[in-house]
Amino acid sequence: MNTFFRLLAFVTVICLVGTSDAKPARQGASTVKNIEVVVHRGANYLAPENTVPSALKALEHGATWVELDVRKSKDGILYNLHDETLDRTTNGHGPIQMATSSEIDRLDAGAWFSPAFRGVKVPRIETMLDTLKGKAHVFFDVKKGTPVSELVKLVRQKGFEQQSFFWFADAQMLSDFVKLAPEMKIKVNASDVAGLKKWQEVCRPAYVEVDPEKITKEFTNYCRKNGILIMAAIQNGNEEAYKKAAQVRPDLVNIDQPELWQRVVAESNGKYVYDLPHYVDPRIGSEGLGRVFVGPSCPFGMVKPSPDCTPSPNSGWLPMPERVDGFAQVHVSGTGGGPKYGNVLVMPFGDGMDRVSHIDYRDYETIQLGYYDTRFKQSGIRTEITTSNRASFYRFTYPEDSLKSLAVDAGFFLGESPIPDEREAQQFIGSEIQVLSDHEVAGYTRIRGGWNNGKAYTVYFYAETDRPFVQSLTWKGNRISDAQSQYDSAEKTGALLRFAKSDKVVQLKVGISFLSSQKAKFNAHSEIPHWSFEEVHNGLLAQWEKLFQKIEIDPSAPAAKKRMFYTALYHTMLMPVDRSGENPLWSDPEPCYDDFYAIWDTYRSSFPLITLIDPQRQVDIVRSLINIYKRDGYMPDSRSGNSNGRTQGGSNAEIVIADAFAKGLKGIDYELGLQAMLKDATVPPGDNEEAEGRGGLIPYLELGYIPHGIDRAGNRTIEYSYCDYAIAQVAKGLGKEDLYQQYMKQSENWKNLWRSDYEHAGAKGFIMPRDKEGNWLDSIPIGHSTRWQPKFKYTPVIFEGPWYTKWWSMFFYEASSWEYSLSIPHDVPGLIEKCGGAEAFEKRLDIFFDKGFFNVNNEPSFLTSCLYHWLGKPWRTSDRIREIIAKNYNDGPIGLPGNDDSGAMSSWLAFHMVGLYPNAGQDYYLIHTPLLASATFHLEGGKDFKIIAEGLSDKNCYIQSVTLNGKDYPYSTLRHKDVIAGGELVLKMGKKPGNWGKEMGLDK
């Protein structure tokens, strides 16, 4: 028997092979509960064990995980039963594997516990998963004889791959599971660090179960460092045992009395509390369409180090088993289109001073807020990363018998294409590198292009190690030499560094600047004047903690919802990035922000959320936008690498300014801001309309719409109308009545593309294409050829043309007429009238959602689920939102339904979880049923605004009445001034829709 099977004989094993995406369950609120509860055999002090009632009772008392004991029947059906025999907890007899499913399904599993539970059945695993979906995570305790392939198939079918972990009763089952499901999580049992290390020799544990008395400081620190979550196991515990378990602060507890645990924790007065950053899981939305950045970052941080897994992905990272080229210092988060950045790559290696590429593959990885950790399979080198705002920090741990080497690649970047000047590809211009001493390297990389097709940008760096190099080489192209510098000659450059064989651990700082290598050195030394990895990491966590404390949510909320909420806040505050003092284009004291990627995505919910959490930050962002106009000529709709571009629809910075103005943000020159808005609205950008300003402006002003034949004519007309509304509001507030009247009239231009007689799928009236002569176009010519102009029939569900049509040249951008025809946020009453009145509008909304025209993964439909408010039916808004979130959002790697777009998808979720949603550019929020029982906004000036949903549950999900500061509040909207004044909004919940919210109160 080899080591692996000897260990299995003595220890209950579950280990993770492959990617470790274990949730950081050690996450906490600022008031009460932080340790997650795994309940075994259900809440068997409240209901019969291993039944549906026991699981539901456990959830009522705060459990977030339910342990399912998996056993198979004679005919292979999987059941939840702890004992092998049916005798103890049912009226059956004999081993379960000797009974057929038809026999088991007839048994009574409740009468033994209490007459009140007579008739409760032994649940199938499938039934349990259906019951727990969206409510809890699952720990599978897999007993002997269970067909592993069938279990894996069922787990995947029910969508529990990322919401579960496993234990197996024998080695063969475990071996089968690893082959079938290497992405799923596994647990080990160990009593000390030595035992845990033995398991690490054969697998990568994601969880470790341990007696609370064995959880020492050494054990905890080791688990934290290795990304292993600690589960304290308490069998038949009493109050004293539970208190002792809570005192050692595990990540999870495995108990059988959740009601007792809930009372112990509640009576602790916050004694067992973790910091809010532990709720953040950067893996949420990292796979699928989300594309979020997974590496460490400070709030709005300029430096974002992470692995680059080939030069292809937008955020740099791809899931295992993809290769790793190295670790670059600058990235973006959640973006579509072509990649940007991925500059200044560092890569540890062993042997290989004779080559410039050192790709490797991850054995595991740990991804947490402010911390990344991996070990490479080939070299055995471990890399840990954290960061400050403008300097990243690495800790490399080399195997004893390895050569200790490091590559610094000044030529690497993401999105490289062999086709010169390919659209959206980044293009190399030049790089330079110099070995300054036996522990310093400096240089730069110069790149242009990327998603915004921007001008050249230069990233300067200064890299310093805490151990001296014993050898240093440089390269240019693929030519390696012992020269200590390589000047810029339009070839890629880099350095190869070797350390002494005794230097097992090497630490590295990489300062970044957009001004010079000397400024990069200053950034590194001023932000990290020491060599303590932990101090840098703790400093980063403190920055996030300060922001997360601005919104305190229901402490009894399920851990999954806490993760979803605080991770949503985190993603919202990754971009744009603060480059104040790092502007290479001009010098002044104004704030400087870059990577607006894009305002088209973020104006709707991201900037309004930042306004609530960090209003001074939003002031600085708006001032930066206005200053870009002052210095560059136009405000951006997108901007990256110090270059405006690209435009997608409207000149949406105008809505950001209007939002700040409507909400009374101080310290902004609104007169200059209005000038910037009017520049967009009156001065065509010439041949630069893809980068800034309003394309098609002249016909828009002359005709009142943009005719077909001009790119994105449909959504540009709609969005310019909204931007004109924003201009009107600011003009009115500044006392400019003539401008107000002019732009309010222009804000109705969307109606000029409203084809009232067009019918589709039971709805009448749509935004449709029109030529410059005013004719409606039933068929549209494709492409820009003057010789060949094939046509296709245009309908409201079309948002893409044939393959030979450029996707950015469509009538609408990234959406259909069904979506854009409901996207008139500044004039919903006018939209309702155009649709034929309230009854027809409600029918239209139902068709939109029920027939699948709603597109959850794109921003034009962000407000649409709230449009029932304008019909006096906010309860229908609540129903739609809860359905959308339940189907499309979760706390797993595929937890976002579309590109996060610099936090847009995340901020939409965060608002709806607290029961408010903004209409950007205006001063109110729409009130609906929250997903959280309470949320408290800690505002500027020491004021608090609290939202309480009294009696909220899955059944009590309808608002019956509302009070604001103790007084009846019949309106379904809330003014921003009422929020920032502080107070309490109490929603009384019930099982059926009530009469509340028939009025919006916008005229009050």
Side-chain angles (χ1 to χ4, degrees):
M1 184 181 289
N2 62 29
T3 302
F4 179 81
F5 293 101
R6 285 200 302 271
L7 284 168
L8 268 172
F10 293 97
V11 187
T12 302
V13 144
I14 299 183
C15 23
L16 179 67
V17 177
T19 301
S20 171
D21 59 354
K23 308 289 186 300
R26 52 184 179 286
Q27 303 164 345
S30 56
T31 52
V32 185
K33 182 180 175 184
N34 301 278
I35 302 168
E36 294 193 46
V37 174
V38 183
V39 63
H40 55 252
R41 287 173 287 181
N44 60 338
Y45 279 70
L46 302 169
E49 64 186 57
N50 289 100
T51 62
V52 170
S54 69
L56 295 178
K57 285 289 185 181
L59 300 185
E60 288 177 12
H61 290 275
T64 50
W65 293 77
V66 173
E67 180 176 339
L68 300 184
D69 297 299
V70 186
R71 294 186 184 277
K72 78 173 182 71
S73 65
K74 185 176 182 180
D75 51 348
I77 302 299
L78 303 182
Y79 285 88
N80 180 33
L81 190 72
H82 180 266
D83 291 10
E84 182 181 8
T85 176
L86 296 165
D87 296 71
R88 191 176 71 83
T89 57
T90 78
N91 59 345
H93 301 285
I96 185 174
Q97 64 267 27
M98 300 303 293
T100 65
S101 56
S102 60
E103 294 170 335
I104 297 169
D105 289 342
R106 291 195 296 268
L107 298 177
D108 187 320
W112 69 272
F113 183 84
S114 165
F117 290 95
R118 190 181 310 278
V120 170
K121 302 300 181 183
V122 181
R124 297 185 178 196
I125 294 297
E126 182 176 11
T127 302
M128 293 298 298
L129 295 182
D130 287 338
T131 301
L132 298 174
K133 181 67 174 176
K135 299 174 183 174
H137 292 196
V138 172
F139 163 30
F140 292 97
D141 184 337
V142 188
K143 307 300 185 180
K144 287 185 178 181
T146 299
V148 175
S149 61
E150 291 300 312
L151 177 60
V152 168
K153 180 180 178 181
L154 183 60
V155 169
R156 286 180 172 147
Q157 178 186 339
K158 300 299 181 180
F160 275 83
E161 303 100 311
Q162 305 300 330
Q163 285 79 45
S164 59
F165 61 86
F166 296 76
W167 173 89
F168 291 93
D170 66 44
Q172 186 57 54
M173 294 168 65
L174 177 59
S175 178
D176 292 344
F177 178 77
V178 168
K179 293 175 184 176
L180 289 167
E183 79 281 11
M184 296 189 199
K185 296 181 286 290
I186 308 172
K187 170 185 72 80
V188 303
N189 284 15
S191 58
D192 54 29
V193 171
L196 193 50
K197 285 182 176 179
K198 288 181 180 179
W199 285 115
Q200 288 180 297
E201 293 174 3
V202 292
C203 64
R204 168 78 177 166
Y207 295 82
V208 58
E209 185 168 333
V210 61
D211 187 303
E213 294 184 358
K214 303 292 185 180
I215 303 177
T216 62
K217 185 175 182 179
E218 178 193 14
F219 189 86
T220 299
N221 289 341
Y222 187 83
C223 289
R224 296 289 181 264
K225 207 169 190 180
N226 286 271
I228 301 170
L229 303 183
I230 300 171
M231 181 167 70
I234 311 161
Q235 299 289 338
N236 302 316
N238 54 31
E239 183 171 342
E240 188 61 29
Y242 283 10
K243 286 181 178 179
K244 288 181 178 180
Q247 288 169 2
V248 295
R249 297 167 67 89
D251 302 301
L252 308 89
V253 289
N254 192 352
I255 59 175
D256 57 5
Q257 298 184 65
E259 77 289 0
L260 176 58
W261 175 266
Q262 190 175 49
R263 179 169 62 80
V264 167
V265 174
E267 292 174 355
S268 71
N269 296 318
K271 183 178 179 182
Y272 314 125
V273 174
Y274 287 107
D275 296 331
L276 291 175
H278 289 294
Y279 273 123
V280 174
D281 184 355
R283 282 292 302 273
I284 294 176
S286 61
E287 299 180 33
L289 297 175
R291 295 186 177 183
V292 297
F293 172 74
V294 303
S297 175
C298 294
F300 308 95
M302 190 174 84
V303 169
K304 289 178 168 62
S306 86
D308 288 270
C309 308
T310 79
S312 301
N314 286 42
S315 67
W317 179 88
L318 287 173
M320 295 168 60
E322 189 55 79
R323 80 184 200 216
V324 175
D325 291 51
F327 306 90
Q329 316 313 307
V330 188
H331 295 93
V332 294
S333 181
T335 61
K340 191 81 176 184
Y341 303 127
N343 313 111
V344 188
L345 193 83
V346 299
M347 183 64 166
F349 64 96
D351 192 17
M353 294 289 280
D354 58 345
R355 63 182 187 273
V356 301
S357 176
H358 301 87
I359 64 170
D360 211 326
Y361 296 84
R362 291 157 288 180
D363 181 42
Y364 71 85
E365 64 182 1
T366 301
I367 298 171
Q368 298 171 355
L369 174 59
Y371 177 78
Y372 177 86
D373 168 34
T374 192
R375 180 180 289 114
F376 289 128
K377 288 183 176 181
Q378 295 173 358
S379 68
I381 300 168
R382 181 183 183 187
T383 299
E384 298 170 273
I385 317 173
T386 189
T387 192
S388 65
N389 286 287
R390 299 181 178 185
S392 51
F393 197 104
Y394 293 80
R395 181 163 59 196
F396 305 115
T397 303
Y398 295 86
E400 290 282 0
D401 58 352
S402 169
L403 294 171
K404 283 75 174 177
S405 312
L406 178 68
V408 180
D409 188 341
F412 183 89
F413 59 93
L414 294 172
E416 184 172 12
S417 171
I419 303 173
D421 299 320
E422 184 178 16
R423 185 181 177 86
E424 296 195 15
Q426 292 201 105
Q427 304 288 334
F428 178 78
I429 295 177
S431 69
E432 189 167 288
I433 199 159
Q434 183 178 9
V435 179
L436 302 176
S437 70
D438 64 359
H439 60 279
E440 299 169 294
V441 177
Y444 65 78
T445 182
R446 186 170 289 123
I447 309 293
R448 64 182 175 88
W451 177 80
N452 66 329
N453 299 314
K455 300 174 184 176
Y457 66 90
T458 304
V459 179
Y460 298 90
F461 70 92
Y462 167 83
E464 181 181 14
T465 61
D466 67 342
R467 295 289 185 270
F469 325 141
V470 297
Q471 183 185 7
S472 56
L473 306 173
T474 62
W475 79 75
K476 179 177 287 190
N478 288 316
R479 305 179 302 278
I480 300 171
S481 76
D482 59 5
Q484 295 302 286
S485 65
Q486 297 289 351
Y487 64 87
D488 190 342
S489 60
E491 291 186 90
K492 295 181 180 180
T493 61
L496 300 168
L497 313 173
R498 176 152 291 169
F499 306 94
K501 197 162 186 180
S502 59
D503 291 333
K504 182 178 179 181
V505 177
V506 175
Q507 297 190 120
L508 170 72
K509 303 174 190 176
V510 184
I512 292 296
S513 174
F514 287 79
L515 297 178
S516 69
S517 295
Q518 283 296 309
K519 182 64 188 302
K521 180 177 180 179
F522 171 81
N523 290 341
H525 286 174
S526 61
E527 293 193 354
I528 313 177
H530 53 76
W531 288 101
S532 171
F533 187 95
E534 285 70 25
E535 188 173 336
V536 177
H537 184 214
N538 290 336
L540 178 152
L541 294 178
Q543 291 185 53
W544 285 109
E545 174 79 18
K546 183 178 179 181
L547 291 171
F548 295 152
Q549 286 178 347
K550 298 293 184 72
I551 306 180
E552 177 185 338
I553 63 172
D554 173 26
S556 65
K561 288 184 179 178
K562 292 178 182 178
R563 278 193 289 269
M564 290 166 65
F565 181 77
Y566 283 106
T567 304
L569 298 191
Y570 169 74
H571 285 150
T572 302
M573 294 183 284
L574 288 175
M575 292 168 66
V577 300
D578 184 356
R579 291 193 189 152
S580 299
E582 285 285 342
N583 190 341
L585 303 181
W586 61 80
S587 177
D588 62 27
E590 283 297 285
C592 176
Y593 281 76
D594 202 0
D595 295 334
F596 294 96
Y597 209 140
I599 295 174
W600 184 87
D601 301 293
T602 55
Y603 80 81
R604 296 169 171 88
S605 53
S606 296
F607 288 130
L609 183 57
I610 295 169
T611 295
L612 283 173
I613 296 173
D614 193 353
Q616 184 56 52
R617 177 78 67 174
Q618 185 62 19
V619 167
D620 289 346
I621 289 170
V622 174
R623 286 173 60 181
S624 177
L625 291 172
I626 295 172
N627 199 42
I628 291 169
Y629 151 74
K630 181 180 177 181
R631 299 288 187 166
D632 254 5
Y634 285 92
M635 293 188 294
D637 186 57
S638 303
R639 186 177 179 89
S640 196
N642 306 307
S643 290
N644 281 357
R646 292 164 42 203
T647 60
Q648 299 182 102
S651 46
N652 297 303
E654 290 147 32
I655 301 172
V656 178
I657 293 175
D659 195 77
F661 186 80
K663 292 169 182 173
L665 294 187
K666 307 298 183 184
I668 296 170
D669 186 344
Y670 288 109
E671 290 282 358
L672 184 58
L674 182 58
Q675 289 181 31
M677 299 164 85
L678 291 171
K679 174 75 175 288
D680 283 335
T682 59
V683 181
D687 61 359
N688 206 33
E689 65 180 34
E690 189 174 282
E692 56 199 10
R694 295 189 182 184
L697 178 62
I698 292 175
Y700 176 79
L701 295 176
E702 291 177 348
L703 302 174
Y705 64 92
I706 300 176
H708 180 264
I710 296 175
D711 291 353
R712 308 185 295 286
N715 69 289
R716 274 176 162 168
T717 298
I718 293 170
E719 294 182 42
Y720 291 175
S721 301
Y722 190 18
C723 294
D724 286 343
Y725 176 85
I727 293 172
Q729 301 311 303
V730 175
K732 181 179 182 180
L734 295 176
K736 304 179 190 300
E737 184 65 22
D738 289 347
L739 281 174
Y740 168 70
Q741 294 295 339
Q742 175 187 345
Y743 282 94
M744 280 301 292
K745 183 178 180 181
Q746 284 185 200
S747 75
E748 296 186 2
N749 280 350
W750 64 273
K751 296 178 181 178
N752 295 327
L753 285 183
W754 187 270
R755 187 171 177 178
S756 298
D757 64 345
Y758 196 99
E759 296 186 41
H760 186 267
K764 189 174 183 180
F766 289 88
I767 299 289
M768 296 294 282
R770 199 174 186 183
D771 67 20
K772 63 184 178 181
E773 284 77 29
N775 302 308
W776 296 110
L777 302 178
D778 294 317
S779 297
I780 291 181
I782 294 301
H784 297 279
S785 170
T786 58
R787 184 177 181 184
W788 303 107
Q789 291 189 319
K791 294 183 178 182
F792 72 100
K793 184 179 179 181
Y794 194 86
T795 72
V797 294
I798 288 176
F799 59 93
E800 288 192 29
W803 64 268
Y804 47 83
T805 304
K806 297 175 182 177
W807 61 268
W808 61 86
S809 298
M810 305 296 174
F811 182 63
F812 288 120
Y813 183 77
E814 293 188 358
S816 69
S817 181
W818 259 103
E819 296 167 78
Y820 274 112
S821 295
L822 290 170
S823 184
I824 316 293
H826 62 294
D827 189 13
V828 179
L831 175 63
I832 293 172
E833 181 182 351
K834 282 290 186 182
C835 289
E839 184 177 344
F841 189 67
E842 183 174 10
K843 178 183 176 183
R844 184 190 189 108
L845 288 176
D846 291 343
I847 293 170
F848 178 69
F849 288 105
D850 297 340
K851 290 196 175 182
F853 299 138
F854 170 65
N855 182 4
V856 68
N857 69 10
N858 217 351
E859 286 78 7
S861 294
F862 265 23
L863 185 66
T864 312
S865 56
C866 295
L867 294 182
Y868 293 98
H869 270 67
W870 277 265
L871 300 174
K873 297 182 178 181
W875 62 272
R876 298 217 59 198
T877 290
S878 299
D879 281 348
R880 291 297 184 190
I881 289 167
R882 291 167 74 86
E883 179 185 24
I884 290 166
I885 293 174
K887 287 183 177 179
N888 299 284
Y889 287 84
N890 60 65
D891 66 334
I894 310 178
L896 294 174
N899 295 161
D900 196 35
D901 289 329
S902 305
M905 288 284 158
S906 292
S907 57
W908 183 93
L909 173 67
F911 265 120
H912 284 308
M913 290 187 76
V914 301
L916 298 177
Y917 191 73
N919 194 357
Q922 303 175 64
D923 72 335
Y924 62 88
Y925 303 91
L926 300 153
I927 304 168
H928 62 79
T929 300
L931 271 66
L932 300 163
S934 67
T936 302
F937 292 81
H938 299 297
L939 306 164
E940 299 293 301
K943 297 177 182 177
D944 289 344
F945 184 81
K946 188 169 187 177
I947 303 169
I948 302 171
E950 290 186 350
L952 177 68
S953 68
D954 288 343
K955 293 182 178 179
N956 289 344
C957 58
Y958 295 105
I959 300 173
Q960 306 298 299
S961 63
V962 175
T963 60
L964 178 62
N965 301 327
K967 297 180 180 180
D968 286 343
Y969 192 79
Y971 310 119
S972 64
T973 63
L974 183 68
R975 299 287 182 182
H976 180 75
K977 64 181 177 61
D978 293 323
V979 174
I980 62 173
E984 189 171 80
L985 187 74
V986 178
L987 318 176
K988 293 187 173 152
M989 309 305 298
K991 294 181 179 180
K992 296 181 179 180
N995 293 318
W996 171 84
K998 293 186 180 297
E999 295 183 64
M1000 294 185 74
L1002 293 178
D1003 56 345
K1004 306 299 180 183

